[in-house]
Amino acid sequence: MSLDVRRRSASERREALKEVLAEARACTRCAELAATRKTVVFGAGNADAELMFVGEAPGASEDEQGLPFVGRAGGLLNTLLAEIGLERSQVFIANTLMCRPPGNRDPQPIEIDNCHEYLLRKVELIQPAVICTLGNFSTKLLRGDPTGITRLHGSPEVLVLGARAVRLYPIYHPAAALYTPRMLETLREDFHRLPELLALGAPEQPSFAEVPEPAPEPAAQPQAHAAGGERGLEAGQLGLF
Ligand code: URA
């Protein structure tokens, strides 16, 4: 991903995101996952969201529907979002892995590594101000550090991911909180601090003054985006609102 992504308009970034989606749908970097998945769960929500969530990996329901967090943990995530006055259509939800690990086993380091580039491209194109990592896997991945969620939850920090500086905010994974009332209480408290974090806006971005202006793009072809498949991308997995 080139640094000039920051100079692109929202609609250009959205088109680029659809290209990443198309690429991801054909991905076979993890042979086992590619052979066993039903769908590639790219992520869903607002392609220009201020707030992005990163979970662990799709489960059975997500694999079935091709959408993240549609099972019980997703129900809790929806409830928590509603409590702070947000809907899924206002945020973007992704995962560390886009494919379901068979039998819901843990993601393997090589799989996380294979999928990392896709996640960074999503971050660079969506340009969120806040990334809320749900649980250990995404927190350790994006911080590049093995410190666990029990120590880090509820503590925001500024991080540069690819070309984007974000406020990273680790919280417990909703699936872990489903059956543990005390963890749910902590998750809820942390979640309710999201509005104040969002109110700070994006952190100062790293300076890339040396990046030249991109060459002007050729004029759009009127028929180029009218194909059914293209509309299918918009109406389906990306759910661009
Ligand atoms: N758990 C996750 O981490 N991601 C999902 O999409 C669903 C459950």
Side-chain angles (χ1 to χ4, degrees):
M1 180 64 54
S2 67
L3 300 177
D4 73 3
V5 73
R6 287 182 6 199
R7 299 191 200 273
R8 295 197 215 168
S9 70
S11 69
E12 285 168 337
R13 288 187 285 110
R14 185 170 159 141
E15 287 308 309
L17 196 60
K18 285 197 263 178
E19 283 166 24
V20 183
L21 166 62
E23 214 180 291
R25 281 183 168 161
C27 182
T28 55
R29 288 182 192 179
C30 308
E32 186 191 14
L33 301 189
T36 54
R37 72 183 178 219
K38 290 183 179 153
T39 60
V40 172
V41 183
F42 181 74
N46 191 320
D48 208 22
E50 290 291 295
L51 173 60
M52 181 167 173
F53 290 91
V54 184
E56 183 179 317
S61 310
E62 289 78 20
D63 185 39
E64 199 71 48
Q65 296 183 41
L67 293 167
F69 283 93
V70 290
R72 291 205 58 200
L76 176 54
L77 184 58
N78 293 346
T79 301
L80 292 168
L81 278 171
E83 286 175 7
I84 60 166
L86 288 176
E87 296 177 359
R88 280 175 79 119
S89 60
Q90 294 171 282
V91 304
F92 195 91
I93 305 176
N95 277 308
T96 299
L97 287 194
M98 297 186 291
C99 299
R100 181 192 181 205
N104 291 343
R105 64 160 170 73
D106 282 351
Q108 293 172 358
I110 180 70
E111 295 166 345
I112 294 174
D113 207 41
N114 286 340
C115 226
H116 192 186
E117 185 204 336
Y118 289 109
L119 184 58
L120 287 184
R121 286 162 83 187
K122 282 172 232 180
V123 170
E124 289 188 358
L125 289 167
I126 295 167
Q127 300 188 347
V130 175
I131 295 186
C132 189
T133 49
L134 304 172
N136 265 320
F137 280 93
S138 53
T139 302
K140 290 180 183 181
L141 173 70
L142 294 187
R143 295 186 74 251
D145 180 288
T147 310
I149 192 69
T150 310
R151 271 191 55 193
L152 293 171
H153 76 86
S155 302
E157 66 186 298
V158 173
L159 269 188
V160 177
L161 302 174
R164 180 77 186 164
V166 298
R167 299 185 194 280
L168 192 95
Y169 188 54
I171 61 174
Y172 283 130
H173 194 292
L178 273 176
Y179 306 101
T180 315
R182 282 196 59 180
M183 198 181 277
L184 176 56
E185 206 178 303
T186 305
L187 171 61
R188 178 166 271 124
E189 277 168 19
D190 290 344
F191 212 94
H192 281 227
R193 290 182 55 215
L194 271 168
E196 64 190 72
L197 201 54
L198 284 164
L200 297 176
E204 190 179 337
Q205 296 301 307
S207 146
F208 293 116
E210 73 283 7
V211 178
E213 289 289 337
E217 294 187 10
Q221 298 300 306
Q223 300 302 319
H225 300 295
E230 188 74 10
R231 271 203 300 276
L233 285 184
E234 286 226 21
Q237 192 157 11
L238 264 186
L240 300 168
F241 297 95

